Amino acid sequence: MPAESGSVLLVGVGGQGVVLSSAVAADAARRSGFDVKQSEVHGMSQRGGVVSSHLRYGPLVHSPLIGAGEADAVVALEWNEGVRAIPALRPGGTLIVSLDRIPPPSAFVDRHGGAVAYPAVAPDTLRRTVPDVRAADATSVAAAAGNARAMNSVLLGILSPLLPFPAEAWDGAIAANVPRAALEANRAAFAAGRALRFPAAPAPGTGRPRRRAPAEPPSVGSVDIVDAWCKGEDCAICVRACPEYVLGFEPDARPVRAVRPDACTACMLCEILCPDFAITVRRAAVPAGPSLVAAETT
Amino acid sequence: MTAKALAAATGIDYREHLRLPMMPHILCPGCGHGIVLKALLRAIRSLDLDWDRLAFVAGIGCSSRLVGYIDGCTLHTTHGRALTFATGLKLARPDLTVVVITGDGDGLAIGGNHLIHAARRDVDLACLLLNNETYGMTGGQVAPTTVPGSVSTTTPRGATEPPFDACALVTAAGASFVARGATSLPLELDTLIAAAIAHRGFSFVEIESDCPEYFGRYNRLGRAPEMLQQQRRRFDEVDETLAAKRFVGAPPHAGVPRLRTGVLHERKT
Amino acid sequence: MSQLVQGNEACARAAIASGCRFFAGYPITPSSEIGESMARLLPDVGGVFVQMEDEIASLGAVLGASLGGARALTATSGPGFTLMQEHIGYAALAEIPCVVVDVMRGGPSTGLPTRPSQGDVMQARWGTHGDHPVVALAPYSSAEVFELTSRAFALSERLRVPALVLYDEVIGHLRERVDIADVPLARGERPRPSVGPAAYEAYAPGPDLVPPLADFGRGYRFHVTGLTHDERGKPTDDPAIVGALHRRLQEKVVRARDDVVSVATVALEDAEVAIVAYGVAARAAERAVSDARARGLRAGLFRPRTLWPFPDAELRGLASRVRALVVAEMNLGQLLLEVERVAAGRTHVEPCLRADGTPLTPEDIGTAIGEVIGAAV
Ligand code: SF4
Ligand code: SF4
Ligand code: SF4
């Protein structure tokens, strides 16, 4: 990341604290002597919709907006929003992403409709596109540090070593922006995030992770189907809703089957939308492969 | 909403709250009402209510059948009259939380008088009106909410009467909490239903649901997935001027102005 | 201590004394005083009064309250009674205790709102569609309104049936001396589950064929529906289950018949002619009997206090003893049909009917007695 200027895109869904995180980062930039511009884009945040915040700092910044392929880092408080924001990253940029998944309230989207399609990317395939992924189960890290709600500060902690802001600037910014009651929890979460260690990004041009996860990448979720309750192809809501094409029908049309079980990301869409209580999504433990998740804490 | 809703959505075992011997339910493949039942169970969970102090009252129609599958105190009454039973129950037993499930025909046609009076009395009930614009149980006749132009068995050349705006109706009648949700926005439903139940006074949530079996078939709207998509678009931020234009050959909802979801009216008491 | 009490007021007082703590109603002549009295009396005993938007809603609210555990009452008249039929059927099938008072006025339709009639006798029995059990009591004085209202509660609770109290406008508005302390209060409780919530089935009958009823919201979870259902309340159209359900619903009332059916008589021991009359017509009949006796005619009175189930057995014995039965009622012949059915040719049945908004008089009945005796002589 260039020392003299930079662009960070923060994304998430309403209620996660994107705006607050962005304010903290902007304040840290200001305290470090940079000019800074920041702009928020609320989608349908009142409905828990997408929120993004653009942040640019440097000696003199005119526009806060980050164009496609311009962000030095994307900080995503929600997994799928992170995946969706990848086009904003410049080549070699860093994706900092929480493994938290929050199905959009507009859970049913037109999967063939382009722009709002739910991203069909599983964790272990991500590195093929973005070499430097720093993904963490931020909520668990924050919970271990004292308060799960401070997960956004964990991600700021992960971001902090990448930016040329001194530790005092971060601490001052947190103290000035975070409500008093939540201050200590956020400080602790920030420190825990900052302490996470990720494997170095592969050299430019290699493109693929050197080490693939053992055998097939473990899936994040799996589905249980109550055969007798599923009403089959005449319904097919889950089949059409699943962003990962996990579900489908055998020629006998009923009940639904997991035809690509390994692709399930446990996004819950199928379960939430099945009118017949026929699908239950089981979340597997988050894959703890060293390629993705912080392995050690110092 | 998100963190709480997600916790409720991911942590719930719906089967704990269902009468398993009654399952699978009788609703058609892809019927939207089941999505509402799930949201209701999640909402109750998010409020952490005591199941021994809960009662569910419904009228007659596909939507009203939902209560029979809930493992609780459930009362499946007569056509249009759910609110009258619920009013008596609540007045006699103020300690109970009473949830009413009704449909557009049940709640707005045959039960329309009870609806406006329940709203006027502002009795502490949470009324969910599942609007699928048709009488599903009887085979797809025109309903008080059917959008003009829609085909039904009793409007084979297209409905001509203007529909009710249920939310505006109950607001005018005095309801102290009025909201609109949709099965295509299922997590928002949790929040709205939970808020309706938590609200003291008469709370009303109109929920757009889909009847693929009749309304969808007669109006060539596809099956459940397509109907959900179209329904979703009705709630999208669309260009109002475009939306106001009707064009030939369009499905019935093409020219209908965008509907607003969320809490539309709230008066704290 | 005796007081002057109006029939409608006696009804309300009896309800309160019988533990009724919920009233929902809609104003209608000539029954409005019942609701007005309840509105006055209920708050003092911690009860709830609500005026609903119509009679359908009123009985709906009563049934909801009853499921919550309250003894509940509604009162109406002709057109309102017609609207209530929907929920009388619901109460019969779902077996929810409730008491409905119908103060009869001239009909059909708006008819004669302020005038007495006995035109709802058959509607009380068959007003709602389908076979169903019903209990209907017919008081003829203020004191009896008190007594039979209390009895209606007891029977309704005990048998889980809708219990109807039918009297006419004259009885409703009549003020007469009642010594309320002397009127016996009937006792009858709804059967309660003897098993815990897990084993409870809301429609599994006890030995008297009445299923125990838990209250909503007290730990028991169950389904109540107006669809035909099995013992757990699950809707079904299985002919075996549906058939058994219908038979049980009838049979539970038949088994309790001796407690339900009540008849008062006057001078029947040696009677040649028996008048069959109820409500205000029975008051005229009592006078007609004493007038006839004064003229040396051996007349008597058979006065059903229970209209439904009809006192078949009691009347059958009488029919084989008397020369004639004079059915005096204020309609064009409703209970008459039952009397003819039971008499079945054993004796002559003479109608003495009036449907003009005025009560039958002793003279009307006396004339009928004279005719049958003259004809027989
Ligand atoms: S199967 Fe269900 S939980 Fe898994 S990815 Fe598809 S929709 Fe999401
Ligand atoms: S949504 Fe449910 S009922 Fe419909 S096809 Fe999928 S599993 Fe079956
Ligand atoms: S008829 Fe329509 S509303 Fe009724 S269950 Fe079928 S799809 Fe649902």
Side-chain angles (χ1 to χ4, degrees), chain C residues 39-58:
Chain C
R40 214 169 42 240
L41 298 173
L42 273 170
D44 292 339
V45 293
V48 177
F49 169 92
V50 60
Q51 181 172 316
M52 297 299 287
E53 52 272 19
D54 59 30
E55 288 86 350
I56 302 174
S58 301

mmCIF file with all atom_site columns, all heavy atoms in Angstrom, chain C residues 39-58:
data_model
loop_
_atom_site.group_PDB
_atom_site.id
_atom_site.type_symbol
_atom_site.label_atom_id
_atom_site.label_alt_id
_atom_site.label_comp_id
_atom_site.label_asym_id
_atom_site.label_entity_id
_atom_site.label_seq_id
_atom_site.pdbx_PDB_ins_code
_atom_site.Cartn_x
_atom_site.Cartn_y
_atom_site.Cartn_z
_atom_site.occupancy
_atom_site.B_iso_or_equiv
_atom_site.pdbx_formal_charge
_atom_site.auth_seq_id
_atom_site.auth_comp_id
_atom_site.auth_asym_id
_atom_site.auth_atom_id
_atom_site.pdbx_PDB_model_num
ATOM 1   N N   . ALA C 1 39 ? -73.377 -4.638  31.320 1.00 0.00 ? 39 ALA C N   1
ATOM 2   C CA  . ALA C 1 39 ? -72.398 -3.555  31.279 1.00 0.00 ? 39 ALA C CA  1
ATOM 3   C C   . ALA C 1 39 ? -72.289 -2.882  32.640 1.00 0.00 ? 39 ALA C C   1
ATOM 4   O O   . ALA C 1 39 ? -71.232 -2.426  33.048 1.00 0.00 ? 39 ALA C O   1
ATOM 5   C CB  . ALA C 1 39 ? -72.793 -2.531  30.224 1.00 0.00 ? 39 ALA C CB  1
ATOM 6   N N   . ARG C 1 40 ? -73.399 -2.852  33.343 1.00 0.00 ? 40 ARG C N   1
ATOM 7   C CA  . ARG C 1 40 ? -73.417 -2.239  34.668 1.00 0.00 ? 40 ARG C CA  1
ATOM 8   C C   . ARG C 1 40 ? -72.816 -3.164  35.710 1.00 0.00 ? 40 ARG C C   1
ATOM 9   O O   . ARG C 1 40 ? -72.058 -2.736  36.567 1.00 0.00 ? 40 ARG C O   1
ATOM 10  C CB  . ARG C 1 40 ? -74.876 -1.922  35.020 1.00 0.00 ? 40 ARG C CB  1
ATOM 11  C CG  . ARG C 1 40 ? -75.086 -0.673  35.842 1.00 0.00 ? 40 ARG C CG  1
ATOM 12  C CD  . ARG C 1 40 ? -76.559 -0.289  35.905 1.00 0.00 ? 40 ARG C CD  1
ATOM 13  N NE  . ARG C 1 40 ? -77.476 -1.395  36.087 1.00 0.00 ? 40 ARG C NE  1
ATOM 14  C CZ  . ARG C 1 40 ? -78.447 -1.722  35.243 1.00 0.00 ? 40 ARG C CZ  1
ATOM 15  N NH1 . ARG C 1 40 ? -78.615 -1.005  34.142 1.00 0.00 ? 40 ARG C NH1 1
ATOM 16  N NH2 . ARG C 1 40 ? -79.243 -2.744  35.482 1.00 0.00 ? 40 ARG C NH2 1
ATOM 17  N N   . LEU C 1 41 ? -73.160 -4.455  35.606 1.00 0.00 ? 41 LEU C N   1
ATOM 18  C CA  . LEU C 1 41 ? -72.809 -5.384  36.690 1.00 0.00 ? 41 LEU C CA  1
ATOM 19  C C   . LEU C 1 41 ? -71.398 -5.982  36.561 1.00 0.00 ? 41 LEU C C   1
ATOM 20  O O   . LEU C 1 41 ? -70.730 -6.218  37.566 1.00 0.00 ? 41 LEU C O   1
ATOM 21  C CB  . LEU C 1 41 ? -73.823 -6.544  36.725 1.00 0.00 ? 41 LEU C CB  1
ATOM 22  C CG  . LEU C 1 41 ? -75.280 -6.151  37.011 1.00 0.00 ? 41 LEU C CG  1
ATOM 23  C CD1 . LEU C 1 41 ? -76.205 -7.354  36.842 1.00 0.00 ? 41 LEU C CD1 1
ATOM 24  C CD2 . LEU C 1 41 ? -75.403 -5.582  38.421 1.00 0.00 ? 41 LEU C CD2 1
ATOM 25  N N   . LEU C 1 42 ? -70.967 -6.244  35.347 1.00 0.00 ? 42 LEU C N   1
ATOM 26  C CA  . LEU C 1 42 ? -69.716 -7.004  35.178 1.00 0.00 ? 42 LEU C CA  1
ATOM 27  C C   . LEU C 1 42 ? -68.477 -6.339  35.785 1.00 0.00 ? 42 LEU C C   1
ATOM 28  O O   . LEU C 1 42 ? -67.674 -7.019  36.439 1.00 0.00 ? 42 LEU C O   1
ATOM 29  C CB  . LEU C 1 42 ? -69.477 -7.329  33.697 1.00 0.00 ? 42 LEU C CB  1
ATOM 30  C CG  . LEU C 1 42 ? -70.135 -8.628  33.203 1.00 0.00 ? 42 LEU C CG  1
ATOM 31  C CD1 . LEU C 1 42 ? -70.050 -8.728  31.686 1.00 0.00 ? 42 LEU C CD1 1
ATOM 32  C CD2 . LEU C 1 42 ? -69.509 -9.862  33.856 1.00 0.00 ? 42 LEU C CD2 1
ATOM 33  N N   . PRO C 1 43 ? -68.297 -5.027  35.576 1.00 0.00 ? 43 PRO C N   1
ATOM 34  C CA  . PRO C 1 43 ? -67.065 -4.434  36.101 1.00 0.00 ? 43 PRO C CA  1
ATOM 35  C C   . PRO C 1 43 ? -66.912 -4.651  37.609 1.00 0.00 ? 43 PRO C C   1
ATOM 36  O O   . PRO C 1 43 ? -65.799 -4.827  38.102 1.00 0.00 ? 43 PRO C O   1
ATOM 37  C CB  . PRO C 1 43 ? -67.206 -2.949  35.766 1.00 0.00 ? 43 PRO C CB  1
ATOM 38  C CG  . PRO C 1 43 ? -68.140 -2.922  34.600 1.00 0.00 ? 43 PRO C CG  1
ATOM 39  C CD  . PRO C 1 43 ? -69.096 -4.064  34.819 1.00 0.00 ? 43 PRO C CD  1
ATOM 40  N N   . ASP C 1 44 ? -68.032 -4.675  38.333 1.00 0.00 ? 44 ASP C N   1
ATOM 41  C CA  . ASP C 1 44 ? -67.944 -4.831  39.786 1.00 0.00 ? 44 ASP C CA  1
ATOM 42  C C   . ASP C 1 44 ? -67.463 -6.202  40.215 1.00 0.00 ? 44 ASP C C   1
ATOM 43  O O   . ASP C 1 44 ? -67.014 -6.396  41.337 1.00 0.00 ? 44 ASP C O   1
ATOM 44  C CB  . ASP C 1 44 ? -69.313 -4.560  40.434 1.00 0.00 ? 44 ASP C CB  1
ATOM 45  C CG  . ASP C 1 44 ? -69.697 -3.089  40.299 1.00 0.00 ? 44 ASP C CG  1
ATOM 46  O OD1 . ASP C 1 44 ? -68.774 -2.265  40.095 1.00 0.00 ? 44 ASP C OD1 1
ATOM 47  O OD2 . ASP C 1 44 ? -70.901 -2.786  40.376 1.00 0.00 ? 44 ASP C OD2 1
ATOM 48  N N   . VAL C 1 45 ? -67.586 -7.180  39.318 1.00 0.00 ? 45 VAL C N   1
ATOM 49  C CA  . VAL C 1 45 ? -67.139 -8.523  39.699 1.00 0.00 ? 45 VAL C CA  1
ATOM 50  C C   . VAL C 1 45 ? -65.882 -8.893  38.910 1.00 0.00 ? 45 VAL C C   1
ATOM 51  O O   . VAL C 1 45 ? -65.510 -10.065 38.837 1.00 0.00 ? 45 VAL C O   1
ATOM 52  C CB  . VAL C 1 45 ? -68.243 -9.575  39.470 1.00 0.00 ? 45 VAL C CB  1
ATOM 53  C CG1 . VAL C 1 45 ? -69.407 -9.328  40.416 1.00 0.00 ? 45 VAL C CG1 1
ATOM 54  C CG2 . VAL C 1 45 ? -68.716 -9.588  38.018 1.00 0.00 ? 45 VAL C CG2 1
ATOM 55  N N   . GLY C 1 46 ? -65.244 -7.889  38.324 1.00 0.00 ? 46 GLY C N   1
ATOM 56  C CA  . GLY C 1 46 ? -64.002 -8.163  37.590 1.00 0.00 ? 46 GLY C CA  1
ATOM 57  C C   . GLY C 1 46 ? -64.232 -8.774  36.225 1.00 0.00 ? 46 GLY C C   1
ATOM 58  O O   . GLY C 1 46 ? -63.316 -9.370  35.649 1.00 0.00 ? 46 GLY C O   1
ATOM 59  N N   . GLY C 1 47 ? -65.434 -8.655  35.707 1.00 0.00 ? 47 GLY C N   1
ATOM 60  C CA  . GLY C 1 47 ? -65.721 -9.226  34.395 1.00 0.00 ? 47 GLY C CA  1
ATOM 61  C C   . GLY C 1 47 ? -65.551 -8.205  33.284 1.00 0.00 ? 47 GLY C C   1
ATOM 62  O O   . GLY C 1 47 ? -65.221 -7.039  33.528 1.00 0.00 ? 47 GLY C O   1
ATOM 63  N N   . VAL C 1 48 ? -65.772 -8.664  32.060 1.00 0.00 ? 48 VAL C N   1
ATOM 64  C CA  . VAL C 1 48 ? -65.575 -7.809  30.886 1.00 0.00 ? 48 VAL C CA  1
ATOM 65  C C   . VAL C 1 48 ? -66.866 -7.734  30.077 1.00 0.00 ? 48 VAL C C   1
ATOM 66  O O   . VAL C 1 48 ? -67.484 -8.758  29.772 1.00 0.00 ? 48 VAL C O   1
ATOM 67  C CB  . VAL C 1 48 ? -64.455 -8.368  29.981 1.00 0.00 ? 48 VAL C CB  1
ATOM 68  C CG1 . VAL C 1 48 ? -64.314 -7.513  28.729 1.00 0.00 ? 48 VAL C CG1 1
ATOM 69  C CG2 . VAL C 1 48 ? -63.136 -8.439  30.743 1.00 0.00 ? 48 VAL C CG2 1
ATOM 70  N N   . PHE C 1 49 ? -67.246 -6.523  29.726 1.00 0.00 ? 49 PHE C N   1
ATOM 71  C CA  . PHE C 1 49 ? -68.357 -6.311  28.804 1.00 0.00 ? 49 PHE C CA  1
ATOM 72  C C   . PHE C 1 49 ? -67.790 -5.691  27.542 1.00 0.00 ? 49 PHE C C   1
ATOM 73  O O   . PHE C 1 49 ? -66.978 -4.781  27.604 1.00 0.00 ? 49 PHE C O   1
ATOM 74  C CB  . PHE C 1 49 ? -69.384 -5.356  29.417 1.00 0.00 ? 49 PHE C CB  1
ATOM 75  C CG  . PHE C 1 49 ? -70.421 -4.884  28.430 1.00 0.00 ? 49 PHE C CG  1
ATOM 76  C CD1 . PHE C 1 49 ? -71.621 -5.565  28.289 1.00 0.00 ? 49 PHE C CD1 1
ATOM 77  C CD2 . PHE C 1 49 ? -70.181 -3.781  27.607 1.00 0.00 ? 49 PHE C CD2 1
ATOM 78  C CE1 . PHE C 1 49 ? -72.577 -5.148  27.365 1.00 0.00 ? 49 PHE C CE1 1
ATOM 79  C CE2 . PHE C 1 49 ? -71.131 -3.363  26.669 1.00 0.00 ? 49 PHE C CE2 1
ATOM 80  C CZ  . PHE C 1 49 ? -72.329 -4.051  26.552 1.00 0.00 ? 49 PHE C CZ  1
ATOM 81  N N   . VAL C 1 50 ? -68.222 -6.185  26.404 1.00 0.00 ? 50 VAL C N   1
ATOM 82  C CA  . VAL C 1 50 ? -67.823 -5.515  25.173 1.00 0.00 ? 50 VAL C CA  1
ATOM 83  C C   . VAL C 1 50 ? -69.014 -5.486  24.227 1.00 0.00 ? 50 VAL C C   1
ATOM 84  O O   . VAL C 1 50 ? -69.732 -6.481  24.065 1.00 0.00 ? 50 VAL C O   1
ATOM 85  C CB  . VAL C 1 50 ? -66.581 -6.170  24.517 1.00 0.00 ? 50 VAL C CB  1
ATOM 86  C CG1 . VAL C 1 50 ? -66.822 -7.616  24.146 1.00 0.00 ? 50 VAL C CG1 1
ATOM 87  C CG2 . VAL C 1 50 ? -66.133 -5.386  23.271 1.00 0.00 ? 50 VAL C CG2 1
ATOM 88  N N   . GLN C 1 51 ? -69.242 -4.331  23.656 1.00 0.00 ? 51 GLN C N   1
ATOM 89  C CA  . GLN C 1 51 ? -70.281 -4.231  22.628 1.00 0.00 ? 51 GLN C CA  1
ATOM 90  C C   . GLN C 1 51 ? -69.611 -4.411  21.281 1.00 0.00 ? 51 GLN C C   1
ATOM 91  O O   . GLN C 1 51 ? -68.726 -3.645  20.912 1.00 0.00 ? 51 GLN C O   1
ATOM 92  C CB  . GLN C 1 51 ? -70.988 -2.877  22.716 1.00 0.00 ? 51 GLN C CB  1
ATOM 93  C CG  . GLN C 1 51 ? -72.097 -2.757  21.678 1.00 0.00 ? 51 GLN C CG  1
ATOM 94  C CD  . GLN C 1 51 ? -72.928 -1.505  21.877 1.00 0.00 ? 51 GLN C CD  1
ATOM 95  O OE1 . GLN C 1 51 ? -73.300 -1.155  23.007 1.00 0.00 ? 51 GLN C OE1 1
ATOM 96  N NE2 . GLN C 1 51 ? -73.217 -0.818  20.794 1.00 0.00 ? 51 GLN C NE2 1
ATOM 97  N N   . MET C 1 52 ? -70.015 -5.437  20.575 1.00 0.00 ? 52 MET C N   1
ATOM 98  C CA  . MET C 1 52 ? -69.355 -5.777  19.316 1.00 0.00 ? 52 MET C CA  1
ATOM 99  C C   . MET C 1 52 ? -70.051 -5.097  18.142 1.00 0.00 ? 52 MET C C   1
ATOM 100 O O   . MET C 1 52 ? -71.038 -4.404  18.300 1.00 0.00 ? 52 MET C O   1
ATOM 101 C CB  . MET C 1 52 ? -69.311 -7.293  19.130 1.00 0.00 ? 52 MET C CB  1
ATOM 102 C CG  . MET C 1 52 ? -68.490 -8.018  20.187 1.00 0.00 ? 52 MET C CG  1
ATOM 103 S SD  . MET C 1 52 ? -66.747 -7.548  20.229 1.00 0.00 ? 52 MET C SD  1
ATOM 104 C CE  . MET C 1 52 ? -66.126 -8.356  18.738 1.00 0.00 ? 52 MET C CE  1
ATOM 105 N N   . GLU C 1 53 ? -69.527 -5.348  16.956 1.00 0.00 ? 53 GLU C N   1
ATOM 106 C CA  . GLU C 1 53 ? -70.043 -4.665  15.764 1.00 0.00 ? 53 GLU C CA  1
ATOM 107 C C   . GLU C 1 53 ? -71.269 -5.356  15.191 1.00 0.00 ? 53 GLU C C   1
ATOM 108 O O   . GLU C 1 53 ? -71.980 -4.790  14.363 1.00 0.00 ? 53 GLU C O   1
ATOM 109 C CB  . GLU C 1 53 ? -68.947 -4.541  14.698 1.00 0.00 ? 53 GLU C CB  1
ATOM 110 C CG  . GLU C 1 53 ? -68.244 -5.845  14.339 1.00 0.00 ? 53 GLU C CG  1
ATOM 111 C CD  . GLU C 1 53 ? -67.047 -6.153  15.240 1.00 0.00 ? 53 GLU C CD  1
ATOM 112 O OE1 . GLU C 1 53 ? -66.958 -5.573  16.345 1.00 0.00 ? 53 GLU C OE1 1
ATOM 113 O OE2 . GLU C 1 53 ? -66.208 -6.984  14.854 1.00 0.00 ? 53 GLU C OE2 1
ATOM 114 N N   . ASP C 1 54 ? -71.536 -6.574  15.584 1.00 0.00 ? 54 ASP C N   1
ATOM 115 C CA  . ASP C 1 54 ? -72.750 -7.265  15.155 1.00 0.00 ? 54 ASP C CA  1
ATOM 116 C C   . ASP C 1 54 ? -72.887 -8.538  15.988 1.00 0.00 ? 54 ASP C C   1
ATOM 117 O O   . ASP C 1 54 ? -72.069 -8.805  16.859 1.00 0.00 ? 54 ASP C O   1
ATOM 118 C CB  . ASP C 1 54 ? -72.744 -7.571  13.637 1.00 0.00 ? 54 ASP C CB  1
ATOM 119 C CG  . ASP C 1 54 ? -71.582 -8.441  13.206 1.00 0.00 ? 54 ASP C CG  1
ATOM 120 O OD1 . ASP C 1 54 ? -71.113 -9.268  14.022 1.00 0.00 ? 54 ASP C OD1 1
ATOM 121 O OD2 . ASP C 1 54 ? -71.144 -8.313  12.054 1.00 0.00 ? 54 ASP C OD2 1
ATOM 122 N N   . GLU C 1 55 ? -73.924 -9.303  15.684 1.00 0.00 ? 55 GLU C N   1
ATOM 123 C CA  . GLU C 1 55 ? -74.188 -10.489 16.497 1.00 0.00 ? 55 GLU C CA  1
ATOM 124 C C   . GLU C 1 55 ? -73.231 -11.629 16.170 1.00 0.00 ? 55 GLU C C   1
ATOM 125 O O   . GLU C 1 55 ? -72.938 -12.466 17.021 1.00 0.00 ? 55 GLU C O   1
ATOM 126 C CB  . GLU C 1 55 ? -75.633 -10.940 16.320 1.00 0.00 ? 55 GLU C CB  1
ATOM 127 C CG  . GLU C 1 55 ? -76.653 -10.023 16.998 1.00 0.00 ? 55 GLU C CG  1
ATOM 128 C CD  . GLU C 1 55 ? -77.080 -8.845  16.130 1.00 0.00 ? 55 GLU C CD  1
ATOM 129 O OE1 . GLU C 1 55 ? -76.463 -8.612  15.077 1.00 0.00 ? 55 GLU C OE1 1
ATOM 130 O OE2 . GLU C 1 55 ? -78.046 -8.161  16.519 1.00 0.00 ? 55 GLU C OE2 1
ATOM 131 N N   . ILE C 1 56 ? -72.759 -11.676 14.933 1.00 0.00 ? 56 ILE C N   1
ATOM 132 C CA  . ILE C 1 56 ? -71.779 -12.712 14.594 1.00 0.00 ? 56 ILE C CA  1
ATOM 133 C C   . ILE C 1 56 ? -70.534 -12.497 15.445 1.00 0.00 ? 56 ILE C C   1
ATOM 134 O O   . ILE C 1 56 ? -69.999 -13.415 16.063 1.00 0.00 ? 56 ILE C O   1
ATOM 135 C CB  . ILE C 1 56 ? -71.415 -12.636 13.097 1.00 0.00 ? 56 ILE C CB  1
ATOM 136 C CG1 . ILE C 1 56 ? -72.660 -12.794 12.234 1.00 0.00 ? 56 ILE C CG1 1
ATOM 137 C CG2 . ILE C 1 56 ? -70.376 -13.692 12.753 1.00 0.00 ? 56 ILE C CG2 1
ATOM 138 C CD1 . ILE C 1 56 ? -72.390 -12.586 10.749 1.00 0.00 ? 56 ILE C CD1 1
ATOM 139 N N   . ALA C 1 57 ? -70.100 -11.258 15.479 1.00 0.00 ? 57 ALA C N   1
ATOM 140 C CA  . ALA C 1 57 ? -68.920 -10.907 16.259 1.00 0.00 ? 57 ALA C CA  1
ATOM 141 C C   . ALA C 1 57 ? -69.163 -11.167 17.737 1.00 0.00 ? 57 ALA C C   1
ATOM 142 O O   . ALA C 1 57 ? -68.263 -11.623 18.461 1.00 0.00 ? 57 ALA C O   1
ATOM 143 C CB  . ALA C 1 57 ? -68.560 -9.450  16.036 1.00 0.00 ? 57 ALA C CB  1
ATOM 144 N N   . SER C 1 58 ? -70.371 -10.896 18.193 1.00 0.00 ? 58 SER C N   1
ATOM 145 C CA  . SER C 1 58 ? -70.661 -11.060 19.612 1.00 0.00 ? 58 SER C CA  1
ATOM 146 C C   . SER C 1 58 ? -70.463 -12.509 20.044 1.00 0.00 ? 58 SER C C   1
ATOM 147 O O   . SER C 1 58 ? -69.776 -12.787 21.027 1.00 0.00 ? 58 SER C O   1
ATOM 148 C CB  . SER C 1 58 ? -72.104 -10.638 19.908 1.00 0.00 ? 58 SER C CB  1
ATOM 149 O OG  . SER C 1 58 ? -72.293 -9.290  19.531 1.00 0.00 ? 58 SER C OG  1
#
